Amino acid sequence: MKTGSTEILLLGVIIVAFSAYILNDPENNPIVTYMATTKLVRSLSKAFKPPSHVIVVGGGVAGLSAAIEAARTGAYVTVLDKEPRMGGNSAKASSGINAVGTVYQREAGIDDSVEKCRLETRGSAGPDSESIMIHRMCMESASAIAFLETHGVALPLLTQLGGHSLPRTHRPAPPTKGPPLNTGLIIVKALTEAIQANYTTITFKNNHKVVDIIADKQEIGVPIVRGVKVAAGGQTFDMLADGIVITTGGFGASPSKIKQNCPSAAGFPTTNGAFATGDGLDMGAKIGTSFRSMNKVQIHPTGFVD
């Protein structure tokens, strides 16, 4: 299962952004997670005088991309993930990334356009879909492919998948040696290695579960976020920051949240990781975050279970 895109923007002296393509099954393109976080992080970072400290909660494609963008602005970045390794459901994505106007399409002589991609995506998504997000996804998809290229991810193979009239799904070439890996895992591994090799101001902390957002209530009702409360090593402690980006993913492994938000999907088995419990949603709700498109759950299992 997979839910639609949810964007949350909490405004105060400090901005908290939760902008994740909620993957209750990760069988789709991670481009939305990259796109929805990176530009927001660039704007967020401009509000602080470097060197600022930015905490990214969640180590999937969205979190890794956000960490890179924040580091590019001069910030010190801490990526917190409750699992022993980075990746989350992003590491299970297998189809590829849908993009239009890329260098690979041009080299293949494919005459495509943002408008054509937008119309076909909207046609597949239906009248209740987020038209602004669809337009932005199509318009900026080529830049997302270029971003991955600069961080060691080449996606030269083009495939035409469901809902598209042209080859738009970008996939990696088969490896010259060793077993093939799924697209999402290749992206996660490449971004992780690029960070470790090139971004000394980014720190990974696995087995660190964020259990709450530290925020002060103001008279006008807008929270000022100070940091997060973390559970690790049998202890709970506060970690303060100038900015927080929450990219914790979806709730496909939470039967109660599925029942609450999309009762028609309740009771279905899922190939999500057990970690997909919607932690970021719970933390955001506590400080007054509003949500949208929470009922957009698609039944689309993947074969990558473990």
Side-chain angles (χ1 to χ4, degrees), residues 47-68:
F48 313 120
K49 294 180 180 180
S52 56
H53 179 213
V54 174
I55 291 175
V56 177
V57 187
V61 169
L64 297 174
S65 301
I68 289 172

Side-chain angles (χ1 to χ4, degrees), residues 199-212:
Y199 295 92
T200 58
T201 57
I202 299 177
T203 301
F204 291 148
K205 289 188 177 294
N206 290 98
N207 296 310
H208 279 60
K209 181 177 181 179
V210 176
V211 296
D212 210 353

Side-chain angles (χ1 to χ4, degrees), residues 13-14 214-216 218 224-228 239-242 244:
V13 174
I14 296 175
I214 303 169
D216 299 332
Q218 298 300 295
I224 296 179
V225 176
R226 305 296 186 188
V228 294
M239 185 177 292
L240 304 182
D242 302 299
I244 301 172

Side-chain angles (χ1 to χ4, degrees), residues 91-208:
K92 294 185 177 186
S94 60
S95 294
I97 296 183
N98 299 321
V100 57
T102 66
V103 62
Y104 300 119
Q105 276 194 322
R106 292 194 297 272
E107 290 175 350
I110 297 172
D111 183 17
D112 204 353
S113 69
V114 169
E115 181 63 10
K116 185 181 294 184
C117 182
R118 183 189 71 82
L119 291 173
E120 292 178 3
T121 304
R122 184 72 190 275
S124 296
D128 296 330
S129 57
E130 300 280 354
S131 59
I132 294 176
M133 288 294 292
I134 288 174
H135 177 72
R136 185 176 174 186
M137 179 186 73
C138 297
M139 183 175 63
E140 299 182 10
S141 58
S143 66
I145 297 294
F147 169 87
L148 293 175
E149 183 90 35
T150 62
H151 290 88
V153 184
L155 302 172
L157 299 187
L158 295 173
T159 306
Q160 182 176 330
L161 296 184
H164 301 279
S165 64
L166 294 167
R168 295 194 184 105
T169 305
H170 292 63
R171 301 169 59 87
T176 55
K177 60 180 180 179
L181 300 176
N182 57 296
T183 305
L185 183 57
I186 289 173
I187 294 174
V188 168
K189 286 172 63 67
L191 291 181
T192 301
E193 290 171 1
I195 288 172
Q196 293 171 333
N198 303 306
Y199 295 92
T200 58
T201 57
I202 299 177
T203 301
F204 291 148
K205 289 188 177 294
N206 290 98
N207 296 310
H208 279 60

Side-chain angles (χ1 to χ4, degrees), residues 213-261:
I213 296 173
I214 303 169
D216 299 332
K217 289 286 188 178
Q218 298 300 295
E219 291 182 3
I220 59 173
V222 178
I224 296 179
V225 176
R226 305 296 186 188
V228 294
K229 191 173 293 291
V230 182
Q235 298 180 328
T236 302
F237 53 90
D238 294 348
M239 185 177 292
L240 304 182
D242 302 299
I244 301 172
V245 183
I246 301 182
T247 57
T248 51
F251 53 88
S254 172
S256 62
K257 287 188 176 65
I258 292 291
K259 184 176 181 179
Q260 174 188 353
N261 293 286

